[in-house]
Amino acid sequence: MASFAGFVAILAASSVAHASLVDLLFSVPNTYPTLTACAQEPLTYSCENTTTIKNTCCSPTPGGLVLQTQFWSTYTGLEGKGQVLPKNSWTIHGLWPDNCDGSFESYCDLKRQYDPSPSPATLPGNITVPKYKGPGVDTFIKEFKRVDLLDYMEKYWINQGDTNAVFWAHEFSKHATCTSTFDLACYGPGYKKNQDVIDFFDATVRAFKMYPTYDMLAAYGIVPSNKTTYSLSQIQTALKSQTGALPYLGCSKNGTVLSEVWYFHHVLGSEQFGHYKTLDTTTKSSCSNSTGIHYYERSKGSEREVRLLP
Ligand SMILES: *[C@@H]1O[C@H](CO)[C@@H](O)[C@H](O)[C@H]1NC(C)=O
Ligand SMILES: *[C@@H]1O[C@H](CO)[C@@H](O)[C@H](O)[C@H]1NC(C)=O
Ligand SMILES: *[C@@H]1O[C@H](CO)[C@@H](O)[C@H](O)[C@H]1NC(C)=O
Ligand SMILES: *[C@@H]1O[C@H](CO)[C@@H](O)[C@H](O)[C@H]1NC(C)=O
Ligand SMILES: *[C@@H]1O[C@H](CO)[C@@H](O)[C@H](O)[C@H]1NC(C)=O
């Protein structure tokens, strides 16, 4: 603390330490959209009265069935590089703009394509999604000095088989470019390059924090175990009784290994700041309802405690 204060004092006293340098070092640019025009719009949940939504910066349109998606995996494949999973937590997959009927579009703005290995690689109309070869989206976050956001994402938004930043880029370019409230036009004439990317990452983290899946399940006695299994209805009941709606549960290995959860919503207001109303899943669970489901413990060395240190 003393050394920090000393540093500031030196800066303030130095002839080069005029206001602009101090601003440059200690200010963080804003990344929110310009929503002043939304004050004139009628309030309605996305997908519930789409004829009223004229300004698509104010409500996700189309793409108003919003999914906060999470993974449960037991390893990353990059443990040797220190990429491990957060103890006692599921991980972020993304924030998806499904159409009201459950269908969805991908890679809606190829000028904002930062995914090195697009999937799908081809869009309807035989349009090829170009492979991105530029700097990782983690460098965008650093340019906006969002050390706090980057730190959280490195803890909770974890990839399997490749670096985390590649996964974040995929989620942004595939999904956020199809979410109207992150359109470039929503940021007004003062748009700063990649402001929308940071804004999407912030919104995704906010939505993820609404659903501490690990803790919700543990509170119902459902904890990872390599010795026992749980029934689908046991897991569904636990989550429904806390969120008010039935999420989608995804299982691998022919429906026997729990691996995913998707929470469904309509949103009142923007996807960034609006109110998320939980809804039952529109997709049938891929987990077996006739056999026990494994909720496996993480592999040794594949997780770490992330809650102790900043
Ligand atoms: C939808 O919004 C329009 C205009 O805001 C309104 O006239 C209409 O009654 C609304 N419909 C429903 C079903 O709420
Ligand atoms: C799609 O485009 C590729 C090259 O861009 C071409 O080789 C292929 O024949 C096209 N496929 C169809 C179904 O049009
Ligand atoms: C997969 O699960 C279904 C339904 O539980 C079962 O009928 C089928 O035999 C299973 N297939 C394999 C390869 O285990
Ligand atoms: C269990 O799954 C089968 C096959 O998908 C389905 O027909 C049945 O309705 C399900 N039962 C319950 C209780 O959900
Ligand atoms: C639990 O089982 C899974 C699946 O076989 C395995 O990947 C994992 O390493 C096991 N964890 C422990 C702690 O044994």
Side-chain angles (χ1 to χ4, degrees):
M1 211 53 211
S3 64
F4 177 75
F7 175 60
V8 173
I10 290 163
L11 266 181
S14 127
S15 58
V16 293
H18 38 74
S20 63
L21 177 57
V22 175
D23 282 355
L24 201 67
L25 286 170
F26 298 109
S27 73
V28 173
N30 294 323
T31 52
Y32 46 74
T34 303
L35 297 178
T36 47
C38 297
Q40 265 55 257
E41 294 286 315
L43 261 184
T44 180
Y45 279 100
S46 55
C47 291
E48 296 189 9
N49 188 349
T50 49
T51 57
T52 69
I53 299 166
K54 301 275 189 292
N55 182 338
T56 59
C57 292
C58 306
S59 179
T61 317
L65 181 61
V66 176
L67 279 64
Q68 200 290 303
T69 57
Q70 305 182 9
F71 278 129
W72 179 259
S73 40
T74 58
Y75 68 96
T76 70
L78 270 71
E79 280 80 359
K81 292 184 172 155
Q83 188 169 306
V84 291
L85 300 157
K87 190 171 160 58
N88 287 17
S89 179
W90 287 49
T91 52
I92 302 174
H93 187 168
L95 188 62
W96 300 346
D98 278 15
N99 296 318
C100 303
D101 66 1
S103 63
F104 65 94
E105 271 91 60
S106 301
Y107 300 102
C108 296
D109 182 0
L110 296 181
K111 288 192 287 302
R112 294 184 290 159
Q113 208 309 80
Y114 310 117
D115 186 347
S117 43
S119 166
T122 313
L123 301 176
N126 202 21
I127 296 159
T128 302
V129 182
K131 289 185 174 147
Y132 177 70
K133 306 218 191 290
V137 295
D138 52 324
T139 65
F140 303 177
I141 304 172
K142 286 175 192 153
E143 278 163 16
F144 278 85
K145 302 186 202 169
R146 289 297 307 283
V147 181
D148 61 324
L149 178 62
L150 186 59
D151 176 65
Y152 191 89
M153 291 167 66
E154 292 286 14
K155 285 173 175 166
Y156 291 99
W157 201 341
I158 308 299
N159 200 1
Q160 194 171 60
D162 206 341
T163 62
N164 295 331
V166 163
F167 184 29
W168 308 336
H170 171 79
E171 290 301 309
F172 175 83
S173 293
K174 181 170 178 179
H175 301 291
T177 60
C178 303
T179 307
S180 65
T181 67
F182 299 105
D183 284 350
L184 289 186
C186 304
Y187 298 91
Y191 172 73
K192 297 181 282 291
K193 177 113 182 92
N194 300 325
Q195 172 179 3
D196 48 328
V197 180
I198 312 307
D199 197 25
F200 171 70
F201 292 158
D202 267 328
T204 305
V205 166
R206 257 179 231 128
F208 170 71
K209 285 182 172 176
M210 295 193 292
Y211 299 108
T213 305
Y214 185 95
D215 291 340
M216 287 194 280
L217 292 177
Y220 284 78
I222 302 168
V223 292
S225 170
N226 282 14
K227 296 197 171 69
T228 190
T229 60
Y230 303 96
S231 71
L232 175 60
S233 69
Q234 222 180 331
I235 300 166
Q236 287 175 328
T237 302
L239 297 177
K240 180 163 181 163
S241 77
Q242 292 305 312
T243 66
L246 186 67
Y248 165 83
L249 290 164
C251 285
S252 58
K253 304 272 166 65
N254 199 26
T256 61
V257 177
L258 185 60
S259 59
E260 280 189 80
V261 62
W262 304 349
Y263 296 99
F264 287 69
H265 317 84
H266 290 161
V267 175
L268 185 79
S270 69
E271 196 159 304
Q272 284 87 328
F273 307 126
H275 179 256
Y276 283 59
K277 179 171 79 175
T278 50
L279 299 171
D280 285 347
T281 175
T282 58
T283 307
K284 192 176 170 300
S285 176
S286 62
C287 302
S288 167
N289 65 10
S290 54
T291 60
I293 294 171
H294 294 280
Y295 177 22
Y296 282 130
E297 294 167 47
R298 259 85 178 254
S299 301
K300 205 166 177 300
S302 289
E303 65 176 8
R304 65 175 167 135
E305 181 56 76
V306 295
R307 295 165 295 183
L308 286 171
L309 297 168

